[in-house]
Amino acid sequence: MVAVLGSNRLPLGQAAAALGRLDDAVRHLRAAAEINDRAGMPPMAAFARYELARVLARRRRPGDRDEAAALAASAARWPAGSAWRPWRAAARSCRGLCPDGRRAR
């Protein structure tokens, strides 16, 4: 059995985010989404965009919140079928970020 989990830039981005290196995380996660798109791996590209949205929401630079909301909305639209329900719920919760950093209810 062979499992392909997408670009190795995804875990690099996740690790950078965990260490608080948000600029590095953004760079790695953008690359992961692009590489996974080019490789024809939409689930992994959507997951990279979801992770990128979470990091952008934490980073709080001008435009980051709006981009985070757009990325989360994009990631939430991708999955189809009942197996993806938890994914869609997670992406929707990230999509509802308000400009002041609180989650929309």
Side-chain angles (χ1 to χ4, degrees):
M1 176 189 279
V2 175
V4 178
L5 301 176
S7 170
N8 66 349
R9 300 292 292 270
L10 176 63
L12 290 173
Q14 291 169 316
L19 293 171
R21 298 176 58 169
L22 301 183
D23 292 337
D24 291 334
V26 167
R27 184 171 41 86
H28 286 302
L29 294 169
R30 283 191 200 284
E34 182 180 319
I35 291 165
N36 289 328
D37 277 334
R38 284 196 320 252
M41 301 179 72
M44 297 312 295
F47 187 62
R49 286 188 184 90
Y50 165 72
E51 291 290 325
L52 176 57
R54 293 179 62 204
V55 171
L56 288 170
R58 285 177 54 201
R59 191 171 73 165
R60 298 181 186 189
R61 286 193 181 164
D64 281 354
R65 297 272 180 191
D66 292 336
E67 185 180 1
L71 286 166
S74 170
R77 282 192 302 270
W78 182 81
S82 61
W84 290 97
R85 282 190 189 129
W87 163 264
R88 292 177 75 99
R92 281 189 201 111
S93 73
C94 187
R95 183 178 61 197
L97 291 171
C98 297
D100 65 0
R102 292 177 293 132
R103 291 189 185 276
R105 298 270 178 209

